[in-house]
Amino acid sequence: MNGGLLVAGTTSDAGKSVVTAGICRWLVRQGVKVAPFKAQNMSLNSFVTREGAEIGRAQAMQAQAARVQPTALMNPVLLKPGSDRSSQVVLMGRPVGEMTARGYHGGRQQALLGTVLDCLAELRGTYDAVICEGAGSPAEINLRRTDIVNMGIARNARLPVLVVGDIDRGGVFASFFGTVALLSPEDQEFVAGFLVNKFRGDVSLLEPGLDMLRGLTGRRTYGVLPFQHGLGIDEEDGLRVSLRGAVRESAVTAPVGEDVLRVAVCAIPLMSNFTDVDALAAEPGVVVRFVDRAEELADADLVVIPGTRGTVNALEWMRRRGLADALRRRAAEGRPVLGICGGFQILGEHIEDEVESRRGPVDGLGMLPVRVRFAPEKTLSRPVGEALGEQVEGYEIHHGIARVTGGEPFLDGCRVGAVWGTHWHGSLESDGFRRAFLREVAAAAGRRFVPAPDTSFAALREEQLDRLGDLIEQHADTDALWRLIESGAPQGLPFIPPGAPA
């Protein structure tokens, strides 16, 4: 078998990442050697592979769904926004520079098509099947000429395309029809059919519409996935993320001790790798919420400042909104604060930035004895260490180099009283360390909170990926899906006018 499939969507956040992961988990449970692929990803949530390459976290999680190690081949192009108009371009896991959207779509993107196709070909030569994820919508007609992630990759690699639509948003039939009708005849040949996501209610009421859609387009629907709370994987930039989303959408599991623990995450500009707090939200009795006002910190037992692609800008934003003063008051009162990556840098005394913001010397919040200098080279690593008497694993993605001049050691950073800072992402996924850290937080906050002794973040994530595989297995036509992956789009699919503009 040397199969493939492109999972496209009628919109961003239609469910492409989730469906791709679900298909990967379903296939690997059938004994198929499968890998995920996304030619080009725009995301501030990224991950470091074992070989030190930076890729989107969604692709890393899809690799886990497929039970394989993530590599740069699975996400050769990653765009990390630094503003509304420019992004850092990460090619094969390494940053190659900043570029405006106009510059990227004006020629650079098309020049990367060869690299993207080579990566896909290498994966297809290694695995039985490669499940590709598109980006946004394939019907973005203004970008079709330079597209390397939707129909551009489908046509070049001759991949069948499955279009996912989120029916919970409404307008799914118009979205399905319009997506096909805005593609050229050559592109339409590869669009095999549709998959409905997030359906609530009686499927029999939907079936007449699916029959009419097939009559209009000549294309079948491969499944109707029901709406399920708390279902997802690490997404790109939405706030409905992973295990944290599961906890926020449902009642918090009862605490083991007498108290709950309230965690406030500062929703700073260009927030990155906010998936770090998913492991906190997975703990029984821990309530996680995102905040952007100083008064929302008042009842928090722990405040987390996450990573950001704009440390200096985020620092100024915090000062304008009164969050900086509120954090200083917390520190003076001995109330817990944790800074991760960019958040760690913000808590320091001084920042020298000629790389990211190019603002030169800037004073930090002065809550940790740390001085940060931004270097042109990006640190990408998978550190392992010990803290609070427990083994810890993490990953680093940053330009800032921190010089710690005091405090108690804490991972690669430091601690002063109840203020902690580190560059390590993912450290809270280490169960023993997370429990030890929460005990420290509870003691400093005066809460009678006790971490559950048996919460396994890795096991919870595996359960979630199995739920995605179950969705595909139970609610998609897997026989038809198998034929699609193995044999490609059906022949003789009709053209739906008007097609793409000339």
Side-chain angles (χ1 to χ4, degrees):
M1 180 179 180
N2 183 17
L5 176 69
L6 176 71
V7 179
T10 56
T11 62
S12 294
D13 201 30
K16 297 183 294 291
S17 297
V18 168
V19 169
T20 300
I23 293 174
C24 285
R25 178 50 60 101
W26 162 64
L27 284 173
V28 76
R29 293 196 307 207
Q30 308 306 309
V32 178
K33 188 179 179 185
V34 60
F37 178 78
K38 185 162 186 173
Q40 172 194 293
N41 196 348
M42 178 173 280
S43 179
L44 287 172
N45 287 331
S46 57
F47 181 78
V48 179
T49 67
R50 282 185 176 175
E51 67 268 26
E54 184 180 9
I55 66 171
R57 271 198 69 102
Q59 279 61 66
M61 192 64 75
Q62 289 162 357
Q64 184 175 354
R67 297 179 179 150
V68 296
Q69 280 295 322
T71 73
L73 292 172
M74 297 172 184
N75 181 206
V77 182
L78 173 64
L79 305 179
K80 303 193 73 175
S83 71
D84 290 341
R85 295 178 176 270
S86 68
S87 295
Q88 182 181 66
V89 181
V90 179
L91 178 62
M92 295 303 295
R94 298 288 172 180
V96 294
E98 295 279 335
M99 188 166 288
T100 65
R102 181 176 292 275
Y104 185 69
H105 289 286
R108 174 67 170 174
Q109 184 182 35
Q110 189 66 14
L112 296 174
L113 179 60
T115 299
V116 163
L117 290 172
D118 287 346
C119 290
L120 178 56
E122 186 169 342
L123 289 174
R124 296 186 79 178
T126 305
Y127 293 89
D128 299 328
V130 179
I131 308 303
C132 308
E133 180 186 344
S137 163
E140 291 165 350
I141 54 179
N142 56 315
L143 303 177
R144 176 61 185 92
R145 182 177 61 84
T146 57
D147 170 50
I148 64 170
V149 65
N150 289 308
M151 300 312 300
I153 194 80
R155 276 179 60 184
N156 276 281
R158 304 197 66 78
L159 294 170
V161 178
L162 185 67
V163 180
V164 178
D166 180 354
I167 197 170
D168 196 50
R169 294 182 172 189
V172 75
F173 291 115
S175 297
F176 282 147
F177 183 87
T179 296
V180 179
L182 280 176
L183 300 179
S184 68
E186 294 81 6
D187 284 349
Q188 287 191 24
E189 289 178 14
F190 292 90
V191 179
F194 313 106
L195 186 76
V196 176
N197 191 28
K198 296 185 180 179
F199 179 73
R200 305 174 191 250
D202 186 346
V203 176
S204 66
L205 299 177
L206 184 67
E207 287 171 348
L210 300 180
D211 291 340
M212 286 185 272
L213 181 66
R214 185 166 190 171
L216 288 165
T217 67
R219 290 158 174 86
R220 59 167 298 163
T221 298
Y222 284 78
V224 177
L225 307 186
F227 188 101
Q228 291 194 12
H229 285 282
L231 188 63
I233 60 171
D234 292 5
E235 298 184 41
E236 294 177 357
D237 290 311
L239 282 180
R240 296 174 295 280
V241 205
S242 179
L243 296 172
R244 187 198 65 228
V247 172
R248 293 178 77 212
E249 290 175 5
S250 59
V252 175
T253 307
V256 174
E258 297 180 42
D259 288 343
V260 299
L261 208 61
R262 296 172 176 84
V263 179
V265 184
C266 293
I268 56 181
L270 295 174
M271 185 169 51
S272 62
N273 283 71
F274 47 81
T275 48
D276 283 331
V277 300
D278 283 0
L280 293 178
E283 284 286 345
V286 175
V287 182
V288 176
R289 68 184 190 275
F290 283 77
V291 304
D292 61 3
R293 295 171 13 169
E295 54 267 30
E296 294 178 292
L297 304 185
D299 67 342
D301 301 307
L302 169 67
V303 175
V304 177
I305 311 172
T308 173
R309 257 277 284 154
T311 299
V312 170
N313 290 335
L315 175 59
E316 293 180 345
W317 177 86
M318 293 179 73
R319 285 182 167 131
R320 288 195 305 270
R321 299 185 71 88
L323 289 160
D325 290 338
L327 287 171
R328 287 196 188 96
R329 288 194 296 270
R330 285 186 67 89
E333 295 165 0
R335 302 176 66 197
V337 176
L338 170 65
I340 302 174
C341 200
F344 169 41
Q345 297 164 5
I346 285 170
L347 294 176
E349 298 170 342
H350 184 79
I351 299 170
E352 187 77 29
D353 182 11
E354 299 290 352
V355 176
E356 196 174 73
S357 69
R358 300 183 182 177
R359 297 285 294 277
V362 177
D363 289 333
L365 296 186
M367 294 165 61
L368 290 175
V370 176
R371 301 180 72 84
V372 177
R373 176 182 60 83
F374 276 71
E377 301 79 20
K378 181 183 282 191
T379 297
L380 296 168
S381 67
R382 292 273 294 268
V384 177
E386 183 177 312
L388 306 180
E390 299 286 347
Q391 291 297 308
V392 193
E393 297 182 10
Y395 57 98
E396 294 186 65
I397 305 170
H398 54 89
H399 284 279
I401 299 174
R403 181 165 63 89
V404 179
T405 60
E408 301 175 40
F410 178 71
L411 301 175
D412 69 320
C414 65
R415 170 188 182 178
V416 174
V419 180
W420 294 266
T422 177
H423 273 131
W424 289 22
H425 294 292
S427 62
L428 294 167
E429 295 180 20
S430 297
D431 297 326
F433 168 72
R434 182 180 64 254
R435 287 191 278 269
F437 176 71
L438 289 175
R439 283 192 290 270
E440 295 262 350
V441 168
R447 292 287 184 187
R448 289 171 294 188
F449 170 85
V450 178
D454 55 356
T455 301
S456 168
F457 184 75
L460 288 171
R461 190 156 53 184
E462 276 296 304
E463 287 175 13
Q464 203 171 33
L465 293 171
D466 275 332
R467 288 178 65 199
L468 296 181
D470 292 344
L471 268 184
I472 298 299
E473 191 167 329
Q474 295 168 12
H475 300 282
D477 185 338
T478 51
D479 289 340
L481 196 56
W482 185 280
R483 290 193 297 272
L484 190 62
I485 293 168
E486 192 172 34
S487 305
Q491 297 296 307
L493 293 170
F495 170 68
I496 308 302

